[in-house]
Amino acid sequence: MWNMNCVVALLLACSATQAFVPTALRQPAAAFRPLFAEGPGKKPEGKTDVVYKFGGSSLADKDRIDHVANLIKDQIALGYRPRAVVCSAMGKTTNSLYSAGEFALEGRVNVDAIRTLHTSTMEHFDMPQHVKDEVNGLLSECEDLLNGVRLIQELSLKSLDQLVSYGERCSVRIMAARLNQIGVPANSFDAWEVGVLTDSKFGDAKILPKAEEICAKEFNRL
C-alpha cells in the first residue's frame, strides 16, 4: 500500500538510467505529471502520483538542498504523492569526478573539494552520524578507486562509470536525510537496489527489459 506521506528517494546512478521512469510506476497511478504541472501553488484534481527529478544546479549546495526538500514537502501538502525523487550529483560534482579521473592518470589524487562540499552540507544540517558515516564511506571508496587508477595508469569505462556514480550516491543520501529532518519520511536507494538493471556496455548501458517487472515488485514492496 502506497503511503502518501512517504517519499522514496531513488538514485539512478548510471548515465543510461538517468531519465528512466519505469512503466511499472506509471500504470497504477491515475496520473503522473511533471513538477508544477498544475502551476506553482495549485492543487491537482484528486490525488496525483509524481516522480520528481532534480539536476545538479538544483542541488548545488546546502541552500539548494534545503529549498528542494521544502519544495517537495509543499507539493505533498497540495496533494501530490511522490513515488520517487531522482537526484543528480550536487552542483558540478560529476565534472569534478571526471577531472579527478584524469588527474589520477597523471599521478595525482585529490577529492578534497568534493569531500568538503558534502561534509559541510551535512555539518550545516547536523545530520545523523550514520548518514555522515555512509557518505564519508562512499567518498573514501571513491578515493581508493582513484588511487587504483593512479597505480595501474588505466581508467576503463567500467571504472569511469563507477567513479562518476559516487556523486549521485552521496547526494541522494543527503537529500533523504534532509527530508526526514523536516518531517517527510524518506529512504535512499541505489538504482540496483530497486531493480534498475542494465546491460554491460559500460559508458552507454541500456535498461534490460526485465527491469520493468522487477521495479514494479520492488516498489510494491516499499
Side-chain angles (χ1 to χ4, degrees), residues 139-159:
L139 293 172
S140 294
E141 280 184 27
C142 176
E143 192 167 14
D144 289 343
L145 174 61
L146 289 167
N147 274 312
V149 171
R150 176 181 60 84
L151 290 171
I152 67 173
Q153 287 295 288
E154 180 184 350
L155 181 57
S156 66
L157 288 176
K158 179 179 180 179
S159 294

Side-chain angles (χ1 to χ4, degrees), residues 18 24 27 36 67 70 88 109 116 123-124 126 190 193 196 213:
Q18 286 286 345
Q27 295 299 331
F36 301 133
H67 175 77
N70 281 282
S88 292
V109 173
T116 296
E123 290 295 337
H124 176 80
D126 192 22
D190 291 324
E193 294 179 303
V196 180
E213 182 179 352

Side-chain angles (χ1 to χ4, degrees), residues 30-207:
F32 278 85
R33 303 173 188 174
L35 192 62
F36 301 133
E38 305 288 346
K42 293 185 179 180
K43 293 186 177 181
E45 295 181 5
K47 293 184 172 80
T48 301
D49 288 358
V50 291
V51 174
Y52 294 156
K53 166 68 168 71
F54 295 99
S57 60
S58 297
L59 307 171
D61 54 32
K62 62 183 187 300
D63 294 329
R64 298 303 302 166
I65 290 283
D66 191 52
H67 175 77
V68 167
N70 281 282
L71 185 151
I72 293 168
K73 184 177 182 179
D74 291 344
Q75 292 291 293
I76 292 173
L78 289 172
Y80 292 96
R81 301 185 299 185
R83 295 296 299 270
V85 176
V86 184
C87 298
S88 292
M90 290 181 67
K92 296 186 181 301
T93 297
T94 299
N95 289 339
S96 297
L97 287 167
Y98 276 120
S99 296
E102 294 175 359
F103 291 145
L105 288 171
E106 298 172 358
R108 295 176 289 162
V109 173
N110 189 331
V111 296
D112 289 350
I114 297 171
R115 188 181 294 276
T116 296
L117 174 62
H118 292 84
T119 56
S120 64
T121 299
M122 292 187 293
E123 290 295 337
H124 176 80
F125 293 118
D126 192 22
M127 289 184 170
Q129 189 61 46
H130 73 88
V131 176
K132 296 177 183 177
D133 290 344
E134 194 167 357
V135 171
N136 283 321
L138 287 171
L139 293 172
S140 294
E141 280 184 27
C142 176
E143 192 167 14
D144 289 343
L145 174 61
L146 289 167
N147 274 312
V149 171
R150 176 181 60 84
L151 290 171
I152 67 173
Q153 287 295 288
E154 180 184 350
L155 181 57
S156 66
L157 288 176
K158 179 179 180 179
S159 294
L160 185 59
D161 277 354
Q162 180 178 346
L163 175 61
V164 298
S165 78
Y166 285 108
E168 286 95 342
R169 294 167 69 189
C170 288
S171 71
V172 77
R173 285 158 172 80
I174 290 173
M175 176 54 67
R178 185 61 188 147
L179 285 168
N180 280 304
Q181 285 184 323
I182 64 172
V184 179
N187 294 307
S188 62
F189 297 94
D190 291 324
W192 52 86
E193 294 179 303
V194 290
V196 180
L197 304 176
T198 72
D199 59 30
S200 298
K201 189 176 180 182
F202 299 108
D204 189 26
K206 299 295 188 296
I207 299 292

